[in-house]
């Protein structure tokens, strides 16, 4: 993040609004962070910006415009197409990933805002060839038909269990309410999550 | 689109002063929808997620709570439900779990949609919104003066929302909302009532039934005059009916895709009667325990 501007990477300082502010603010060389209170912040864009994303334990660098969502960066720049784009406005949950262990919709966050965070996608859930228990449960319970929503469902279910173990099927349904399944495999999805959460039928 | 990355609140204020057109982004759950669909293309985004103090809450010396604009709904629910029950109930109805992990009350205030779920409890509790600019410092705006129109609030172009300050609940609070399902619903209408027994009055907040979220002032005056705070009797049906009518009358709804004006007025009356009944029953139980 602190490297010199090069290529299409632009980096400037905001000109301070008042002379008092200007006096207190010197343009930091090499894009170093201004230290003084009232100092101007770093500006990047509008062109492509080099962003280092930590995805599934690997740091991956790519160039993205600031307006690019984490979802588009994962799919288009990093070729991690397991994360699906359904609605692109936070309704469907197909793009759910974990950011620092918390489930979020990757269409509603910018790639540039998630630098330094640990991002987990469906590709990173298995331990080598050993599937994550939630993946196993979805297979065993046949918790999908077309499979488009499944990566988001599985990441959301993993996130749900990290937030606290659901105690009933109703709590699972409530906790999974941000993920739509147009094939309506909901009963089997609830079964799969209940297996891993050890919720009795 | 430029992207501004302040590390501190002072930097954020300086940036907003320099580029008043920059749109602040925190959880992104509102702003990103408009960007993805090209509804708006702001000249710059001001990323507030690195400003650590926005993500904190604390108790003020006077006992009120000061909640940073960057505290997500998930934390309002897990950390503040005992002290701000009305707001926590409203937070539980926001979007979906993923949205609640990122979305913030500050974002609700910034967007100033009349349908925002935070607004009714902030109004009913008497919250004050703290806004700040580099040039003029902090300004405290009462919630009822903060909402100016559909998606318009009292922020000056160089100001940012810093926090809201609200009294800790002194009595029962209930929020209720009408929507087509239990998740990912924009309110057809919503209502919050907060009992303030120490002041012998109740606060109200109406959402999604007028160009701005608003208090039902006549309904509040009616309750202040009619409620028997020392008594432990259930509320008289006539009192509940009248309260519902006054709340419905305070709204100024429109017909739109989510519901008709007539339905909204009717539903608000029902929500008002229901939430007041729940709140009063809690209050009676508390009074009986003390007796």
């Amino acid at each position: 993040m602190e490297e010199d501007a090069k290529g299409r990477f632009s980096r400037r300082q905001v000109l301070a609004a008042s002379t008092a502010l200007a006096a207190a603010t010197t343009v930091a060389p090499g894009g170093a962070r201004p230290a003084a209170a009232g100092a101007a912040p770093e500006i990047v864009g509008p062109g492509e910006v080099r962003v280092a994303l930590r995805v599934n334990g690997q740091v991956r660098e790519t160039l993205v415009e600031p307006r690019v969502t984490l979802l588009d960066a994962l799919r288009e720049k990093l070729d991690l197409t397991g994360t699906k784009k359904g609605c692109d406005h936070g309704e469907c949950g197909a793009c759910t990933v974990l950011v620092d262990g918390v489930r979020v919709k990757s269409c509603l966050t910018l790639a540039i805002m998630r630098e330094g965070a640990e991002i987990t996608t469906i590709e990173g859930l298995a331990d080598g060839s050993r599937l994550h228990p939630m993946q196993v449960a979805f297979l065993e319970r046949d918790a999908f038909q077309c499979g488009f929503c499944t990566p988001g469902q599985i990441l959301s279910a993993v996130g749900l269990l990290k937030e606290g173990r659901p105690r009933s099927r109703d709590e699972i349904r409530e906790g999974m309410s941000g993920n739509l399944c147009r094939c309506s495999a909901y009963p089997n999805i609830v079964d799969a999550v209940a297996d891993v959460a050890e919720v009795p039928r | 689109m430029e992207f501004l990355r302040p590390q501190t609140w002072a930097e954020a204020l300086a940036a907003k002063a320099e580029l008043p057109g920059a749109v602040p982004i925190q959880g992104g759950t509102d702003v990103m929808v408009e960007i993805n669909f090209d509804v708006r293309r702001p000249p710059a985004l001001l990323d507030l997620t690195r400003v650590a103090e926005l993500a904190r809450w604390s108790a003020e010396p006077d006992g009120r709570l000061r909640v940073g604009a960057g505290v997500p709904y998930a934390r309002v629910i897990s950390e503040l439900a005992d002290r701000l029950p009305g707001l926590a109930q409203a937070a539980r109805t926001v979007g979906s779990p993923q949205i609640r992990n990122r979305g913030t009350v500050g974002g609700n205030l910034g967007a100033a949609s009349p349908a925002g779920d935070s607004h009714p409890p902030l109004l009913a509790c008497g919250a004050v919104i703290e806004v700040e600019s580099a040039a003029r410092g902090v300004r405290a705006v009462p919630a009822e003066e903060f909402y100016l129109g559909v998606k318009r609030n009292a922020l000056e172009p160089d100001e940012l929302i810093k926090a809201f300050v609200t009294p800790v609940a002194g009595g029962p609070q209930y929020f209720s909302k009408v929507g087509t399902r239990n998740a990912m619903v924009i309110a057809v209408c919503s209502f919050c009532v907060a009992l303030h027994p120490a002041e012998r009055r109740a606060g109200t907040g109406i959402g999604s039934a007028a160009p701005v979220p608003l208090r039902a002032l006549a309904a509040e005056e009616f309750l202040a005059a009619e409620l028997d705070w020392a008594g432990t009797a259930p509320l008289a049906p006539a009192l509940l009916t009248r309260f519902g009518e006054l709340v419905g009358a305070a709204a100024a709804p429109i017909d739109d895709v989510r519901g008709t004006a007539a339905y909204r007025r009717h539903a608000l009356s029902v929500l008002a009667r229901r939430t007041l009944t729940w709140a009063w029953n809690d209050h009676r139980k508390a009074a009986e325990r003390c007796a």
Side-chain angles (χ1 to χ4, degrees):
Chain A
M1 253 178 61
E2 303 299 342
E3 74 268 69
D4 290 326
K6 54 177 106 144
R8 301 169 70 181
F9 188 6
S10 88
R11 189 188 293 270
R12 300 185 302 287
Q13 297 293 126
V14 187
L15 294 173
S18 67
T19 45
L21 215 49
T25 310
T26 46
V27 174
R33 278 177 200 170
E42 175 192 32
I43 298 186
V44 295
E48 287 189 327
V49 178
R50 185 172 300 280
V51 170
L53 294 173
R54 180 182 294 274
V55 186
N56 301 327
Q58 265 191 312
V59 177
R60 308 265 309 261
E61 283 201 3
T62 184
L63 289 169
V64 292
E65 287 180 37
R67 60 172 288 133
V68 171
T69 62
L70 176 59
L71 170 62
D72 285 343
L74 289 171
R75 289 182 56 86
E76 310 294 333
K77 297 288 185 172
L78 303 182
D79 286 331
L80 292 169
T81 53
T83 307
K84 299 299 187 233
K85 183 187 270 200
C87 69
D88 214 18
H89 64 278
E91 287 267 350
C92 75
C95 69
T96 301
V97 300
L98 302 182
V99 173
D100 291 331
V102 175
R103 51 181 169 158
V104 303
K105 296 187 174 177
S106 59
C107 73
L108 293 185
T109 192
L110 296 167
I112 194 171
M113 291 170 74
R114 301 277 72 93
E115 269 195 311
E118 179 66 52
I119 297 154
T120 306
T121 69
I122 192 71
E123 291 91 343
L125 215 49
D127 179 10
S129 60
R130 211 176 70 217
L131 292 180
H132 186 280
M134 194 62 76
Q135 291 173 303
V136 174
F138 268 65
L139 282 170
E140 284 179 349
R141 290 293 185 173
D142 199 14
F144 44 80
Q145 284 184 40
C146 81
F148 187 85
C149 72
T150 310
Q153 297 277 3
I154 290 176
L155 268 299
S156 188
V158 171
L160 168 65
L161 265 59
K162 282 175 186 278
E163 288 164 17
R165 201 161 281 268
R167 290 159 297 184
S168 66
R169 296 174 67 83
D170 280 349
E171 284 191 7
I172 292 171
R173 283 184 173 276
E174 173 69 28
M176 294 295 290
S177 60
N179 292 77
L180 298 180
C181 170
R182 298 310 301 269
C183 306
S184 212
Y186 296 112
N188 299 14
I189 292 170
V190 174
D191 285 345
V193 180
D195 282 354
V196 181
E198 295 170 350
V199 170
R201 284 191 68 90
Chain B
M1 193 167 67
E2 293 186 322
F3 191 74
L4 289 74
R5 289 202 270 210
Q7 304 284 338
T8 65
W9 181 241
E11 282 183 15
L13 292 177
K16 188 65 174 152
E18 184 64 23
L19 277 174
V23 172
I25 183 165
Q26 177 72 249
T29 54
D30 242 337
V31 174
M32 288 301 299
V33 173
E34 298 191 326
I35 289 173
N36 289 357
F37 284 79
D38 231 351
V39 174
R40 76 169 158 181
R41 194 178 288 188
L45 282 179
L46 179 57
D47 176 15
L48 296 176
T49 54
R50 288 154 194 252
V51 180
E53 63 204 272
L54 291 179
R56 298 192 193 115
W57 61 266
S58 58
E60 295 280 273
D62 64 8
R64 291 185 304 166
L65 281 184
R66 200 168 176 289
V67 183
V71 174
Y73 293 113
R75 285 181 55 207
V76 171
I77 296 165
S78 64
E79 297 170 23
L80 296 171
D82 54 343
R83 280 157 285 194
L84 304 177
L87 185 65
Q89 288 166 28
R92 286 190 195 99
T93 76
V94 172
S96 65
Q98 292 98 316
I99 303 284
R100 297 194 284 273
N101 281 339
R102 300 286 316 149
T104 63
V105 175
N108 234 190
L109 288 165
S113 160
D117 294 314
S118 312
H119 311 317
L122 293 178
L123 287 164
C125 296
V128 171
I129 318 305
E130 264 188 21
V131 302
E132 187 169 349
S133 62
R136 299 177 307 286
V138 177
R139 197 159 65 93
V141 186
E144 60 203 274
E145 294 169 23
F146 187 77
Y147 313 109
L148 297 186
V150 176
K151 299 194 176 183
R152 282 196 305 119
N153 60 32
L155 278 183
E156 296 294 337
D158 62 343
E159 284 178 328
L160 291 171
I161 300 166
K162 189 178 194 180
F164 65 91
V165 181
T166 183
V168 171
Q173 301 179 348
Y174 279 97
F175 172 86
S176 202
K177 162 176 164 182
V178 174
T180 44
R181 65 180 279 243
N182 236 354
M184 293 310 302
V185 155
I186 298 173
V188 177
C189 61
S190 60
F191 183 73
C192 184
V193 67
L195 300 189
H196 307 296
E199 301 159 52
R200 299 189 166 247
R201 63 177 197 90
T204 60
I206 292 173
S208 209
V212 292
L214 72 166
R215 287 168 64 185
L217 289 172
E220 290 185 18
E221 284 164 21
F222 171 73
L223 289 186
E226 297 294 326
L227 286 178
D228 175 15
W229 292 96
T232 56
L235 292 177
L239 182 148
L240 282 169
T241 303
R242 185 66 189 138
F243 178 63
E245 285 168 2
L246 289 170
V247 169
I254 55 167
D255 294 343
D256 70 9
V257 289
R258 296 201 296 278
T260 64
Y263 173 76
R264 284 184 158 104
R265 272 192 209 282
H266 171 76
L268 272 176
S269 292
V270 176
L271 296 185
R273 293 200 299 267
R274 239 179 236 173
T275 50
L276 181 63
T277 303
W278 295 332
W280 189 254
N281 286 344
D282 285 1
H283 172 70
R284 285 167 57 212
K285 275 182 219 147
E288 277 168 6
R289 277 199 299 274
C290 293

